[in-house]
Structure formats: structure tokens, C-alpha cells
Amino acid sequence: MKIWQRRIWILLVLLGGAGMTNAALRIATYNIALGEIRPGLDTVLQAICQETYQGYSQPLDILLLQEQDSVQSTTQAIVDIINRIMPSVNYRRSQTNGTGPGGTMAVVYNPQTVTLLDETALPPPTSGDRAVMRYHFQLAGYSTSDSHLYVYVAHLKATTNSDSRDRRAVQAAQIRADADALGNDVNIIYAGDFNIYTSSEPAYQNLVAEGSARAYDPTGLVDWQGSEYRRWHTQAPAMDPADASLVGGGMDDRFDFQMISDSLHDGSGLDWIEGSYRTFGNNATHAYNGNISSGNGASAVVLNALMTASDHCPVVLEYRHPARMSVSASDLPSRVIARGFQYQVQVTNTAPCQVGTQGAAGIDYSIQTNLTGTRQYASMPSEWTLATIGTLAGEPFAQYLINPIGFEMSGGGNISSTSDNFPFLYRILHADGSLELKVSNLQSDSPGANAGLMVRQSLEPGSPFGYLYLTRDFGLKWRSRMSPGSTAFVSNGPADLNSAWLRISRQGEQVLAAWSSDRQSWTEWQSMTLSGMTGPAYLGLAISSLHPTATAFASFDTEDAGGANSGTAYYAPPAAGPNIHTFLLGQGQTENRTFNIEIKSNDPTVQNNHWQTTCVYRYADFDDFDQDCDFDLDDVNLLLTHLGSINTLYDLDRSGLVDMTDLQILFETVLDRPLGDIDLDGTVDLSDFLILANFFMTPSTGWNHADLNGDHFVNISDLNIIAQNWMRFFP
């Protein structure tokens, strides 16, 4: 049997949805005061771990601490508390103690989401100050440079006198110098109890000064003194705390901060989630200079715990992970035969956190494959309609391309002298308009097969039209019908053209046609008048085989197709998975083919991925009848219903008649099953006979109901098919 080269189309469904996810990187800073574990601390930590804020809900990933007696004592006690709250996580702590009065900085972290790579104490520049700690993390499961995060935790000198302000400024300058030395585009968080009273303070200005690691205040504030700014205040949650060692006076100061470097608010990769900065338990409903429990920023139990656990409130932010593109798919069918084959692959962002629609930034990425002549496809635009003009044997097919932009079509039929039957992909012109496409890759058994651009007055078979087209063997031609039902005349152009740019235009009742070999120099070739074409016209693509049993295939592009591995650029918001439907066109005749699909982003902060599978396939000279990716029982039943017809789609041996020979070809050449194998198990045996016996001498339809010859009745003819193939088997 003659085997034709066919195409395999793989459908990449880029799925996703807008809106927020319920996972993010949750980071809090908290001064617990004087290294003591007080009543209520466990309640506060549990509430942070269980809080749902703007749709995000997950336990703490990093807890930054100040005023720890030591990491081995106070910090370990906090680790034990959180592990009791979240026993499935197994939190860990830092190992290094900083120097200076008032205790060390420390960190508790979730090893399932971040890895602590390094911890460094910056020596205090002034005697009596506390050492700043720098922690170097990496997101678990990531390998890109953007998955690294540096966190500076500081407890700057308190009080308002000039010496304290100067010491804060010096230490802030030290932090910035160390951070600037890390280089450009580094993810940095500056957090802790800064004791800064106004944004005009030198310490604050040193943090936000120009430079590679300049700090950004997510609140956007230039001032935070006074009642109108009370939602940002962090000290003190109690006017008269029960523990006399704690500072009282009520909520009136913003001393605790999380500030971030530019790379954490550039909309790319690891980034803060806009709107997530908050003083925990503080929604500005409390009385200024009063107890935080006078508000409703949390439950009464949690607010009371804030007043007993410390004289500070935690500051919490959510951060989203860098995008991580992944490809997943089910196994390919064991055999792919049809040109209409579609295979579903899912491309997703598998990052634990995908940013919500609020403040979302896009991911630019591309799909690359190892297929030669890759062409990407999408759903047909709504303004285009595929129609059959006249009566056509077999179903026409058309597909819209997005790389290169254009179309592919296949079908049979004839654009004849007085009446037409052919596939027509058109859009309606309500005024003047034109169409310019490159026609190429025309394939058919028929030398006269043709494809080109057409303007029609109507969709009736005898409608007037102008048709500029290429043929398989005879070059460029022009065909036109001047009035309904009249004879269509042909004009011959260059006979050596098998690919060309074609342009057809409608200007009132005028139809104009031109062609070009390079899209630079055009030959204005035809002009005709279609009298009466004053209303809407039909402009589109036509194809015909000019042969009763043959089909034709052609490409219509607005640009030249790219080569293998050229990729196609896409855009998708991080909140959503990709949402473009893409076909990949592969050509070849080998029995085994390995498909490689790579997701690559031009953003270095996106972690890419790769997927590979091997497909065993054969090319055949017929189509998958129901276009469902493989030949199966449904295709058998479709052929049965057309036995005795002249439908070329089912006439597999091209004899001019759909008969039992075609059914045998379908079974033995395509399905690898003997004719008579009702249950498709590879053997004609007792199980097939029992199925036939169950339906014997009854009206029945379908192969699985033992109607083996398509006459809608199970009788001796069907039994003969079983008998003739008895005990035949295919391995």
C-alpha cells in the first residue's frame, strides 16, 4: 500500500486561571523584647501561621527575630513553639549569635520552602551597638540566580537624642555598603527594629539612597507620625503592660520595618505581593495611643496576646516565587496515523506562589521544539468561516496559524465552468477590502490541484467570482465567472511558479489581482467587474483537487515560516498559566520519533523546564475519520455506514467505491487486527462468535453489535466473515 508523507499536529493547551493562589512566601519580623518567652507568644505565632490575608494562607516561611538572649536558648524555644503549632514542618533556626547589648538577631525558617546557605555578623561600627546579621537564603527547588535572598536583620539604637540618631545613621550606612557590594539586581530585605522616627532621619535616608541595593519602603510613606498613620504603628500594643519590663504608652510609633531592594518590587521573579505589607493585628481601628485590643484587627484572644507577648507588633509581608515553567502530558497513543491528529500537553507555572491579579506582571517565554518546520496554531478567529460550496465528498479542513500567521487547508472538489464544489474559508466584506497571503506547499495526487484567493458575490455554486490561484504542476492561473451560472474562463500566468505571494482586492464592483515572488515587486495582473456586487462580498481562501477522488493540501501564510527550534514568544500573567492553543507540525516518515518541548523565558528570573516523549507512528494515505487522534472502533463504524458509497474519504484503496476491501485495509493495515475480530483483541475466536450469537437474526448497527457488513442486520453474511477468518490472529 502506498504510504504518503503526512503531518502530526501536537496541541499544547496553555492553561491557567486569573486570580490569586493560596500560597506565598510569608516573612515576618518580630522584636519579642528582652529575650523572654512570655504568655501569649504562642498565640501570636499560631495566628500568623494560620492567617488568611488577601487570599494568601500559609505558615511562616521566615521569622526574623530581635532581642534574643542566644539562638541556642531563646530562639530554640521559639522553634519548639512553632513546631508544636506546625508539627509537619520541622522548623529550623540560625546558628550564629551576634554581639552587642540587648541580645542577638536570629532567624527561624521553614526548610521545606527555603534553605539557609550562610549567616554573617557585621561587626558593630560603634561600641555598644548590636551587630547586624545577614542571612543568605535560597528558595527550595530553584536553581536560578533570582531564587537567592539576602536578609539583613537589625536592631538600631533607640531614643531621639542626636547621638542615637547618628549611631543609627552610621549602622544604616554600614548595612548599605555591605549590600551594595553584593552587586546589582540582588534580592534583599532590610528588616528589624530600626527605631527610626521619621523618613527625614539620616538612617532612613542612608537606606533609601541611590545605589545598587537601595531600599524601598513598601508602604510608600514619607511620614508616619500621628493618628492618621496608626495602621503602620508597631509599638506599643499595651498602654500599661502587665509585665513591667515592657515599654507601654499605647500604639503610636513605627519602629519595626521590612524594606526591600529594587529587584523585589520590579514585577519579575521573586517579588513582594503588593498590598501585603501589614502590622499584624493592626487595621487602624484601635485608639491612637491606646491598647491594640481596642481595635478589631484580629480576634480578642490574639490582640490580648499581642499585649502580653511583647512591646512590639510583628510586621508581615507576602512574597511570590519566581515563575517555574513546566510541561506535563499523558502518554502518546501507540500509533498516530491521521493528519488531523491532536495531542494535549499542559504547560503550567509550577511555582508554589503565583502572584494575584493585583500588581501582576507578565512572563515572556517561548515554546521550542525539535520539530523541523515548526508551525504553531490557534483557534480559528470568529470572523472566518469554513464552508463547502456545492456538494463535496469528504470533509474539508482548515486551521489558523499564529506562527507564521496564516492558514492551512485541505479538501477536494472542483471549481468548474458553470457550478462549483470546493472548500471555501471566507470572511464577509461589507465594504472594500483585500487579502494578501503566500500560497505554498500545495500537495495532491492530482496535477491540476489548486489553491488561492477568491472574491465571490455569494456562496451559491454558480456565483460570480474572481479566483487567483496556483496549481500543482501548471503554475499561476486566474479564473473568473462574470455572471451567475455562466462559464468560468481561465487565464494562464507564469507556468513555473509553485509558491508565490497572491493579492486579491475588492473595490466596489471591481476585483483586482496581483502576484509577487518576493513580496517586494508586484505584478498587477487582472482587473474585472462583477456587475451587481454592490452589497456584501465573500473574500477568502479556496482549494480544490480538480479530481473526483483526490484531495489537496496547501499553506496560506502572511510571513515565511520559521525553522526548527525557532520558538514562539508568548505572554502570560504570573497569576495564570499560559492560555494559547498551539499545534506543532512534524514531518517525516520514520516509525519512531522523539518529541522535545522546551519552555524558555527571556527573563532570567524564570526557571525553565523541558519535556520529552517518544511517539511510534505511521503515515497513511487516508485520514482519521472522526479526527480523534487514532483509528479505533468509531472509525470502523463510520466506514461501515459508508459501504457502497463513493465517498472518497472512506475509499482507502481508491477503487471508486467504499467496499469490504476498504474495511479489510482498515483492520489489517491500520488496526493490526484480523477482519471479523469484533472485540478487537487481536484474534477471531469464540468470544467474537458469542457476540455475534447474541445479536444473530436481529436488526443491529455497528461493528461492536456484530453488524460486520454494514447492512444493519446480523445474519449469515456476518457469520461468514467470522468463519472466513476463524482463529486468525495478529500479534
Side-chain angles (χ1 to χ4, degrees), residues 423-469:
F424 187 41
L425 181 65
Y426 70 88
R427 58 185 174 91
I428 300 176
L429 276 182
H430 294 281
D432 293 345
S434 65
L435 186 61
E436 181 179 305
L437 293 169
K438 183 179 183 181
V439 180
S440 61
N441 197 26
L442 178 56
Q443 302 176 27
S444 179
D445 271 352
S446 170
N450 55 86
L453 310 183
M454 177 182 288
V455 173
R456 292 183 73 85
Q457 190 168 332
S458 76
L459 300 180
E460 296 298 320
S463 168
F465 68 82
Y467 180 35
L468 177 65
Y469 61 98

Side-chain angles (χ1 to χ4, degrees), residues 441-497:
N441 197 26
L442 178 56
Q443 302 176 27
S444 179
D445 271 352
S446 170
N450 55 86
L453 310 183
M454 177 182 288
V455 173
R456 292 183 73 85
Q457 190 168 332
S458 76
L459 300 180
E460 296 298 320
S463 168
F465 68 82
Y467 180 35
L468 177 65
Y469 61 98
L470 287 172
T471 63
R472 197 197 79 172
D473 289 356
F474 308 118
L476 182 69
K477 292 181 179 290
W478 167 260
R479 185 180 292 266
S480 60
R481 181 181 296 121
M482 305 298 292
S483 60
S486 64
T487 301
F489 291 95
V490 178
S491 298
N492 296 320
D496 58 346
L497 286 181

Side-chain angles (χ1 to χ4, degrees), residues 632-633 636-637 640 660 663-664 666-668 671-689 691-692 702-708 718-731:
D632 52 23
L633 183 62
V636 174
N637 287 331
L640 281 174
M660 291 300 292
L663 186 62
Q664 184 174 3
L666 178 58
F667 264 85
E668 299 184 359
L671 292 174
D672 291 332
R673 300 290 187 271
L675 191 63
D677 182 11
I678 300 176
D679 58 7
L680 302 180
D681 66 353
T683 306
V684 181
D685 54 16
L686 182 60
S687 62
D688 302 298
F689 176 79
I691 295 173
L692 185 140
W703 183 266
N704 50 318
H705 294 159
D707 177 23
L708 308 187
D718 304 293
L719 180 60
N720 283 337
I721 295 174
I722 293 284
Q724 291 168 8
N725 294 277
W726 186 251
M727 296 309 295
R728 287 187 66 203
F729 70 94
F730 278 44

Side-chain angles (χ1 to χ4, degrees), residues 599-721:
I599 308 300
K600 290 186 175 181
S601 176
N602 58 9
D603 182 345
T605 67
V606 174
Q607 183 155 302
N608 307 316
N609 215 324
H610 172 264
W611 175 78
Q612 181 183 90
T613 190
T614 299
C615 170
V616 181
Y617 66 92
R618 291 199 311 220
Y619 290 115
D621 65 347
F622 43 80
D623 288 331
D624 178 5
F625 303 143
D626 59 4
Q627 303 277 306
D628 69 348
C629 309
D630 207 355
F631 278 90
D632 52 23
L633 183 62
D634 293 332
D635 299 294
V636 174
N637 287 331
L638 279 171
L639 191 148
L640 281 174
T641 63
H642 288 84
L643 285 174
S645 75
I646 59 172
N647 192 318
T648 57
L649 181 64
Y650 304 96
D651 182 14
L652 305 184
D653 62 356
R654 299 295 186 257
S655 68
L657 184 69
V658 182
D659 54 21
M660 291 300 292
T661 302
D662 300 303
L663 186 62
Q664 184 174 3
I665 291 172
L666 178 58
F667 264 85
E668 299 184 359
T669 305
V670 179
L671 292 174
D672 291 332
R673 300 290 187 271
L675 191 63
D677 182 11
I678 300 176
D679 58 7
L680 302 180
D681 66 353
T683 306
V684 181
D685 54 16
L686 182 60
S687 62
D688 302 298
F689 176 79
L690 292 175
I691 295 173
L692 185 140
N694 185 54
F695 292 97
F696 195 68
M697 298 307 293
T698 64
S700 184
T701 300
W703 183 266
N704 50 318
H705 294 159
D707 177 23
L708 308 187
N709 59 4
D711 65 357
H712 309 298
F713 197 87
V714 180
N715 54 22
I716 194 67
S717 299
D718 304 293
L719 180 60
N720 283 337
I721 295 174

